[in-house]
Amino acid sequence: MTSQPFLPFALPDLGDDEIAEVVDTLKSGWITTGPKAKRFEQAFAEFLGDPQIECIAVNSATAGLHLALEAIGLGPGDEVITTTHTFTATAEVVRYLGADVKLVDIDPKTMNIDIAAIEAAITPKTKAILPVHYAGLAVDMLALLDIARRHGLRVVEDAAHALPTTLEKELIGTLGSDATVFSFYANKTMTTGEGGMLVTRNRELAKRARVMRLHGMSRDAFDRFTAKVPSWYYEIVAPGFKYNLTDIAAALGLHQLKRLPAFQVRREQIAERFNDAFADLPLILPPQAPEGDTHAWHLYVVRLADDATINRDEFIEGMFAAGIGCSVHYVPLHQHPYWRDRYGLTPEQFPQSQKAYERTISLPLYTAMSDADVERVIQAVRGLLA
Ligand SMILES: Cc1ncc(COP(=O)(O)O)c(C=O)c1O
């Protein structure tokens, strides 16, 4: 055991500006969805650099995915194809709407959804494809969108890990899918504590998602009480949800978004330092983004190579003994009782995901780490494997 303080797997990086903005919000009298949530949506659209894009702030990525799938009309009898190597939120939203999930394996090089397997999984019931940009590395969206076009399918991107990921120099969120959803959960590349952003160029989809975000109301509270002609009147046009982002959360988002470019520089620095330091170890290092593109480095995921002398559990225990938190992304969906039993899934159906799972460790990589923290992780990993 070490005498050093525990280094957690993830920590948020919140500065004085975020704190001051939250205090300002608390003092402003408007603490639920209001002017700051609106400003955050505008700032996010500016960040994406596309005036045609509509940004809809929500209280989680899970909510955003649910709204996007609801807005494309997903329902009972439909199927959505997604990766088994993801967090359950990606798939559970499909079940919220009574549709079914068709899980497919990953490409072992990228750990992203296997593009060829998507095409093989399409049935007459398939309505949409739901790719996940795993760890912050873009899915080959050009190939995926081509499949979707040829088969008349909708595409909703789970970009919980993918801010600011690029593909062919275009930011994820600006490609040609129906909608993209980002997460601002506490451990993400920027955070609002809990939060998310649904992004789309489809005006109808945006309109539906805005209404369903707040109870299916024709006008939200901010709109009603601040419009030129204030009005208490609203109409319910559908049984909507309670998915709005508060101004307290948006206050964090406004400043986190400003800091995102600097965060990205630091994440890349740490990833490069890890890559150099681990090059000679029995590890499969994370895949790199193609030349000229950005990997968001939400996660730094290594896989133990065949010649490693310890297994994943021993590795994680060794890191813990050195006072360092690690994680595993993910226990694949096909292994969880709910998904396994509902669809009669076995590990043999997902050999690449299963193999990755058995060897995968996510190491701490976040901007609140000091250089000394980074070196400490390196020393601990080398101590276990060198
Ligand atoms: C791949 C993926 N999708 C969706 C989510 C859900 O995000 P949120 O916690 O903002 O609902 C997460 C959260 O960790 C995730 O990792």
Side-chain angles (χ1 to χ4, degrees):
M1 276 308 211
T2 173
S3 55
Q4 289 179 281
F6 189 73
L7 182 70
F9 171 67
L11 276 179
D13 187 343
L14 299 169
D16 292 342
D17 287 347
E18 283 90 329
I19 292 166
E21 194 75 48
V22 168
V23 171
D24 177 73
T25 311
L26 297 177
K27 290 179 175 170
S28 76
W30 200 281
I31 55 174
T32 181
T33 305
K36 288 189 186 173
K38 212 158 237 177
R39 260 172 56 209
F40 183 39
E41 290 178 342
Q42 285 159 358
F44 205 85
E46 274 163 33
F47 180 83
L48 292 177
D50 183 342
Q52 295 307 313
I53 282 206
E54 299 218 34
C55 296
I56 301 164
V58 285
N59 58 12
S60 71
T62 308
L65 290 167
H66 186 193
L67 289 175
L69 294 178
E70 198 277 340
I72 64 164
L74 192 76
D78 294 331
E79 286 177 355
V80 176
I81 298 172
T82 193
T83 170
T84 188
H85 216 82
T86 186
F87 185 56
T88 194
T90 310
E92 75 193 23
V93 289
V94 173
R95 297 290 305 130
Y96 290 0
L97 293 159
D100 276 298
V101 177
K102 197 81 176 269
L103 296 177
V104 300
D105 207 356
I106 53 170
D107 173 341
K109 274 208 217 74
T110 61
M111 296 181 73
N112 273 326
I113 192 165
D114 179 350
I115 298 287
I118 294 175
E119 196 136 28
I122 293 173
T123 73
K125 291 180 165 179
T126 308
K127 171 113 179 174
I129 310 172
L130 213 179
V132 178
H133 305 288
Y134 177 84
L137 177 69
V139 169
D140 179 355
M141 288 301 294
L142 303 184
L144 190 146
L145 288 167
D146 179 57
I147 293 173
R149 254 190 303 273
R150 281 192 281 110
H151 293 271
L153 304 177
R154 312 297 294 265
V155 177
V156 173
E157 295 170 70
D158 179 340
H161 301 183
L163 187 67
T165 297
T166 67
L167 180 72
E168 306 221 326
K169 302 193 170 62
E170 306 286 342
L171 279 168
I172 294 298
T174 65
L175 308 177
S177 62
D178 291 278
T180 302
V181 181
F182 297 94
S183 172
F184 310 131
Y185 180 66
N187 67 1
K188 295 300 192 283
T189 53
M190 61 164 270
T191 185
T192 60
E194 300 280 358
M197 192 70 79
L198 193 175
V199 166
T200 181
R201 282 200 194 87
N202 181 327
R203 297 255 175 264
E204 284 306 305
L205 193 157
K207 200 171 153 201
R208 176 73 180 177
R210 280 188 204 284
V211 168
M212 294 305 279
R213 171 176 62 174
L214 196 71
H215 303 296
M217 268 183 200
S218 57
R219 303 174 74 189
D220 67 28
F222 185 59
D223 201 27
R224 278 188 287 129
F225 294 115
T226 60
K228 288 210 176 69
V229 186
S231 170
W232 50 267
Y233 187 74
Y234 61 86
E235 289 180 343
I236 297 300
V237 295
F241 310 105
K242 188 72 200 292
Y243 283 166
N244 52 307
L245 187 77
T246 67
D247 267 26
I248 300 171
L252 297 176
L254 283 167
H255 292 278
Q256 290 274 291
L257 187 61
K258 277 190 205 147
R259 297 175 66 198
L260 192 63
F263 285 164
Q264 180 59 23
V265 169
R266 178 63 179 155
R267 297 183 94 90
E268 283 173 9
Q269 247 175 21
I270 299 173
E272 274 170 34
R273 178 74 192 104
F274 281 167
N275 287 340
D276 287 346
F278 302 149
D280 61 329
L281 300 182
L283 286 176
I284 301 168
L285 297 181
Q288 302 291 306
E291 185 68 32
D293 270 320
T294 303
H295 188 313
W297 293 114
H298 163 52
L299 299 173
Y300 188 89
V301 177
V302 295
R303 281 170 283 175
L304 292 167
D306 289 337
D307 53 342
T309 51
I310 58 173
N311 66 29
R312 178 204 55 203
D313 293 354
E314 290 163 341
F315 183 100
I316 293 176
E317 279 161 28
M319 293 295 284
F320 190 78
I324 296 169
C326 292
S327 192
V328 173
H329 294 88
Y330 288 95
V331 180
L333 295 187
H334 64 259
Q335 194 146 308
H336 289 288
Y338 173 73
W339 298 109
R340 181 194 64 204
D341 298 347
R342 176 163 180 90
Y343 297 116
L345 305 175
T346 64
E348 292 73 33
Q349 294 171 308
F350 308 94
Q352 300 302 344
S353 167
Q354 190 64 27
K355 185 172 176 191
Y357 163 60
E358 286 164 10
R359 294 149 178 263
T360 283
I361 303 108
S362 302
L363 298 175
L365 189 168
Y366 48 95
T367 56
M369 284 169 80
S370 66
D371 286 344
D373 293 333
V374 173
E375 295 310 312
R376 191 175 154 201
V377 173
I378 290 170
Q379 289 317 313
V381 171
R382 294 199 61 82
L384 289 167
L385 293 177

